[in-house]
């Protein structure tokens, strides 16, 4: 669930798993009684909508959603990733720690869907925050929000929450899954006072109906903890990945929204008192 319109600077594939165990007994490692490993698709340095400033973004493999506009369908299967230890990820992030700090950034765990691997995600967030001193963000659809422990959320400074649609039928059409778990997770985050950035992908003819946009806006405004909304214009930059995987990209003939359409959607969020960009 990486940035749709952010600027990413690839810095290489993930390294192979390290033989050394994780340092310390973090909550995640203690829960499994073994060093934490996960299936990692890739990592990069990013500026855009992966959180504030320049960020070290870890993309995990595996996702329960099959979004029609997904630009990284190669992250859907967990087995497509590489088994990697938390030590290895931390070692890579540490190389950029000073640069990230100067740039006012942090570390983001994304996917795929990171909450498909909640123990590994919790390990990364905990160690990025407490060992490297970085601002932490969790990039999620919220569909598996029930898997996020209170400890994981305590180690998360910001949640980047994708709300794909307010209309339930449209949400299921877009994602293949129901909307309710995302709403439940959003309310839990509000109860915890956790800062949230909502992301909404604007797809002409699919998610752009004013009532649909305003439904998301009304819900987000009512939470009280949403500090920003990113209205992300649909694009087809991932179409070649669908083709390479032998999948039918059904939105191939759907145009990107015009600047005017994007501004109209932002205006609906702003009318509800939200900061929309």
């Amino acid at each position: 669930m990486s940035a749709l319109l952010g600027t990413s600077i690839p810095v290489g594939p993930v390294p192979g798993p390290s033989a050394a165990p994780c340092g310390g007994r973090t909550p995640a490692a203690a829960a499994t009684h073994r060093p934490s490993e996960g299936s990692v698709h890739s990592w990069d340095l990013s500026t855009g909508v992966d959180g504030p400033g320049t960020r070290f973004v870890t993309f995990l493999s595996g996702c329960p959603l099959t979004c029609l506009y997904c630009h990284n369908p190669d992250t859907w299967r967990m087995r497509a990733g590489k088994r990697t230890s938390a030590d290895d990820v931390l070692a890579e992030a540490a190389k950029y720690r000073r640069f990230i700090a100067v740039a006012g950034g942090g570390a983001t765990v994304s996917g795929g869907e990171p909450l498909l691997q909640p123990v590994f995600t919790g390990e990364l967030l905990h160690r990025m925050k407490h060992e490297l001193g970085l601002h932490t963000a969790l990039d999620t659809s919220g569909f598996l929000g029930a898997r996020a422990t209170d400890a994981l959320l305590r180690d998360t400074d910001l949640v980047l929450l994708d709300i794909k649609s307010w209309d339930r039928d449209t949400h299921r059409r877009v994602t293949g899954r129901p909307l309710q778990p995302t709403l439940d997770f959003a309310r839990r985050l509000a109860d915890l006072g956790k800062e949230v950035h909502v992301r909404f992908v604007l797809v002409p003819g699919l998610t752009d109906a004013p009532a649909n946009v305003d439904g998301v806006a009304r819900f987000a405004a009512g939470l009280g903890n949403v500090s920003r909304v990113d209205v992300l214009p649909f694009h087809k930059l991932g179409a070649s990945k669908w083709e390479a995987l032998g999948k039918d990209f059904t939105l191939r003939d759907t145009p990107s929204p015009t600047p005017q359409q994007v501004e109209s959607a932002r205006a609906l969020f702003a009318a509800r008192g939200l900061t929309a960009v």
Side-chain angles (χ1 to χ4, degrees), residues 41-276:
H41 175 270
S42 58
W43 51 268
D44 68 21
L45 290 179
S46 172
T47 57
V49 291
D50 292 302
T54 299
R55 307 189 71 83
F56 183 91
V57 186
T58 308
F59 297 99
L60 305 190
S61 291
C63 186
L65 275 56
T66 53
C67 296
L68 296 179
Y69 49 66
C70 181
H71 59 293
N72 284 322
D74 49 330
T75 66
W76 286 359
R77 295 185 177 183
M78 194 179 298
R79 65 175 179 268
K82 189 169 187 176
R83 293 298 297 178
T84 307
S85 74
D87 278 351
D88 289 328
V89 178
L90 266 287
E92 292 299 332
K95 296 177 183 178
Y96 307 97
R97 177 182 180 183
R98 179 170 295 182
F99 171 71
I100 289 171
V102 170
T108 300
V109 183
S110 184
E113 172 51 66
L115 292 179
L116 195 61
Q117 303 182 62
V119 172
F120 186 59
T121 295
E123 183 82 6
L124 293 179
L125 291 167
H126 182 87
R127 297 182 65 185
M128 292 288 187
K129 183 177 183 68
H130 296 285
E131 294 183 23
L132 299 186
L134 296 176
H135 176 276
T136 56
L138 172 68
D139 181 359
T140 178
S141 70
F143 179 72
L144 297 178
R147 295 191 179 190
T149 64
D150 289 344
L152 182 154
L153 293 177
R154 280 195 297 271
D155 288 327
T156 303
D157 296 312
L158 171 69
V159 176
L160 309 174
L161 183 64
D162 291 327
I163 301 181
K164 315 287 185 176
S165 171
W166 182 249
D167 179 81
R168 271 58 170 176
D169 291 339
T170 300
H171 188 278
R172 188 175 285 277
R173 179 185 170 194
V174 169
T175 70
R177 298 287 188 174
L179 171 63
Q180 193 60 45
T182 295
L183 303 184
D184 293 342
F185 185 54
R187 293 188 178 101
R188 179 184 170 199
L189 295 173
D191 290 342
L192 292 172
K194 187 66 59 177
E195 183 183 6
V196 168
H197 288 183
V198 165
R199 279 96 58 78
F200 177 78
V201 181
L202 190 69
V203 187
L206 186 61
T207 67
D208 63 335
N212 187 49
V213 178
D214 186 58
V216 176
R218 185 175 65 253
F219 175 76
L223 294 172
N225 62 327
V226 176
S227 60
R228 166 171 162 161
V229 177
D230 289 289
V231 177
L232 305 174
F234 163 72
H235 65 68
K236 292 180 272 192
L237 298 180
S240 60
K241 293 184 179 181
W242 286 72
E243 294 172 3
L245 293 169
K247 297 180 181 294
D248 183 21
F249 187 63
T250 59
L251 300 182
R252 68 174 66 85
D253 295 325
T254 300
S256 296
T258 65
Q260 292 76 17
Q261 287 173 315
V262 174
E263 285 306 313
S264 294
R266 288 174 177 157
L268 289 171
F269 284 101
R272 294 288 181 179
L274 296 163
T275 299

